[in-house]
């Protein structure tokens, strides 16, 4: 595992991700070439405090940019700063961190489960596996409302380009016109079975992680095949 390094980066671009403006994306330009693996994250250093953000673009795309997905949190130090800092502002980052990495040498089936901004590390993992292997990749993404959905074009293009990739979005508070899945991700995982050599990649809040681990273990999935990344807010 590579030792983390401290470097400076410049805030190059910023854009809203969803119609509800709950999430936005930030592009950082690092002062030097960085090295990391799909699924890893960086620490943003602000006022002596660190906040973690997964890098949403693949390493081979990162010569000039590091893309982050940020949830707007009222009073949040990092999200407020990233949302309002003038473009061109320099920040200190430390990377890479995280062990939520593609396990392509151990499994042929990969199930990715995320809630909210927990999709951030799952995006590059899905891209890496589908681009380089014929393994099956399933993404189950839980959100609250329809207006919080984003990256729809990416999801549709992935499903169209790679027959081994499929995804489902489930809403916990759907409107009457929503025709997709409803309920929490745990409800859908509880109802189905999985191939024996499946690895699971989970990212979200502690309660979701705990609940999904319990469900998977009850289905006989070894703990070694369940990888997690917890988001703290």
């Amino acid at each position: 595992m590579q030792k983390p390094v401290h470097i400076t980066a410049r805030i190059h671009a910023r854009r809203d991700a969803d119609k509800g403006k709950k999430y936005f994306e930030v592009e950082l330009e690092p002062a030097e070439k960085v090295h990391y693996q799909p699924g890893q994250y960086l620490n943003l250093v602000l006022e002596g405090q660190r906040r973690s953000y997964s890098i949403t673009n693949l390493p081979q795309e990162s010569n000039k940019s590091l893309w982050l997905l940020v949830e707007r949190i009222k009073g949040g130090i990092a999200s407020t700063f990233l949302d309002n800092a003038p473009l061109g502002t320099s920040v200190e980052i430390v990377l890479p961190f995280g062990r939520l990495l593609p396990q392509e040498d151990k499994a042929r089936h990969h199930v990715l489960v995320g809630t909210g901004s927990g999709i951030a590390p799952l995006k590059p993992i899905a891209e890496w596996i589908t681009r380089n292997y014929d393994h099956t990749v399933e993404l189950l993404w839980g959100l609250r409302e329809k207006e919080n959905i984003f990256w729809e074009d990416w999801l549709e293009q992935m499903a169209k380009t790679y027959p081994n990739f499929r995804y489902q979005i489930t809403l916990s508070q759907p409107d009457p016109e929503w025709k997709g899945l409803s309920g929490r991700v745990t409800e859908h995982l509880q109802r189905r079975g999985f191939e024996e050599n499946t690895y699971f990649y989970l990212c979200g809040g502690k309660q979701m992680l705990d609940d999904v681990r319990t469900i998977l273990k009850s289905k006989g999935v070894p703990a070694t095949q369940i990888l997690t990344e917890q988001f703290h807010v």
Side-chain angles (χ1 to χ4, degrees), residues 122-226:
L122 307 182
K123 177 178 181 287
I125 291 173
E127 291 177 333
W128 174 259
I129 297 174
T130 52
R131 289 185 185 186
N132 296 287
Y133 304 90
D134 62 355
H135 300 182
T136 63
V137 178
E138 298 180 51
L139 171 65
L140 177 61
W141 185 20
L143 291 161
R144 182 172 297 174
E145 302 172 343
K146 183 178 179 181
E147 67 175 7
N148 298 141
I149 298 174
F150 53 94
W151 289 350
E152 292 174 281
D153 291 343
W154 171 75
L155 289 167
E156 292 173 6
Q157 186 61 41
M158 283 281 290
K160 180 179 179 180
T161 304
Y162 303 103
N164 53 327
F165 174 81
R166 65 190 183 105
Y167 73 93
Q168 291 180 304
I169 298 174
T170 183
L171 301 182
S172 59
Q173 296 181 15
D175 60 48
E177 298 180 356
W178 174 248
K179 301 186 184 303
L181 297 181
S182 60
R184 300 184 182 280
V185 294
T186 47
E187 298 173 41
H188 303 289
L189 292 170
Q190 185 71 67
R191 299 179 188 136
R192 56 165 298 183
F194 301 97
E195 297 283 350
E196 184 175 341
N197 60 336
T198 299
Y199 264 67
F200 297 82
Y201 309 74
L202 318 177
C203 188
K206 183 180 185 302
Q207 189 62 59
M208 185 276 276
L209 299 182
D210 290 345
D211 291 345
V212 172
R213 273 192 292 247
T214 298
I215 291 171
L216 295 178
K217 290 178 181 178
S218 73
K219 293 178 178 291
V221 178
T224 54
Q225 293 177 208
I226 305 172

Side-chain angles (χ1 to χ4, degrees), residues 5-9 29-35 43 45 66 91-95:
V5 296
H6 291 248
I7 63 173
T8 58
E29 285 189 342
E32 57 190 77
K33 185 177 176 66
V34 295
H35 301 276
N43 280 343
V45 183
L66 296 171
V91 296
E92 179 186 358
I93 59 175
V94 190
L95 77 163

Side-chain angles (χ1 to χ4, degrees), residues 10-14 25-29 64-67:
R10 187 172 65 92
I11 300 176
H12 180 68
R14 181 170 43 229
E25 295 179 87
V26 174
E27 180 187 15
L28 300 181
E29 285 189 342
K64 296 182 179 180
S65 299
L66 296 171
W67 279 97

Side-chain angles (χ1 to χ4, degrees), residues 13-135:
R14 181 170 43 229
R15 64 193 181 200
D16 286 326
D18 62 319
K19 293 180 180 178
K21 298 188 175 183
K22 182 178 178 67
Y23 307 100
F24 66 99
E25 295 179 87
V26 174
E27 180 187 15
L28 300 181
E29 285 189 342
E32 57 190 77
K33 185 177 176 66
V34 295
H35 301 276
Y36 64 95
Q37 298 181 61
Q40 291 194 302
Y41 63 90
L42 59 78
N43 280 343
L44 180 70
V45 183
L46 291 173
E47 300 176 12
Q49 301 184 51
R50 295 191 181 194
R51 293 295 185 271
S52 301
Y53 291 100
S54 295
I55 304 167
T56 65
N57 55 313
L58 286 173
Q60 59 260 42
E61 299 171 347
S62 68
N63 290 342
K64 296 182 179 180
S65 299
L66 296 171
W67 279 97
L68 311 179
L69 175 65
V70 183
E71 179 178 354
R72 287 187 170 97
I73 299 173
K74 186 176 181 179
I77 294 174
S79 61
T80 301
F81 173 80
L82 291 172
D83 203 12
N84 295 286
L87 298 183
T89 299
S90 292
V91 296
E92 179 186 358
I93 59 175
V94 190
L95 77 163
F97 297 98
R99 299 179 182 275
L100 189 69
L101 307 174
Q103 303 294 308
E104 68 274 6
D105 58 333
K106 298 179 181 178
R108 290 188 56 83
H109 305 285
H110 309 264
V111 175
L112 287 53
V113 183
T115 50
S117 57
I119 194 175
L122 307 182
K123 177 178 181 287
I125 291 173
E127 291 177 333
W128 174 259
I129 297 174
T130 52
R131 289 185 185 186
N132 296 287
Y133 304 90
D134 62 355
H135 300 182

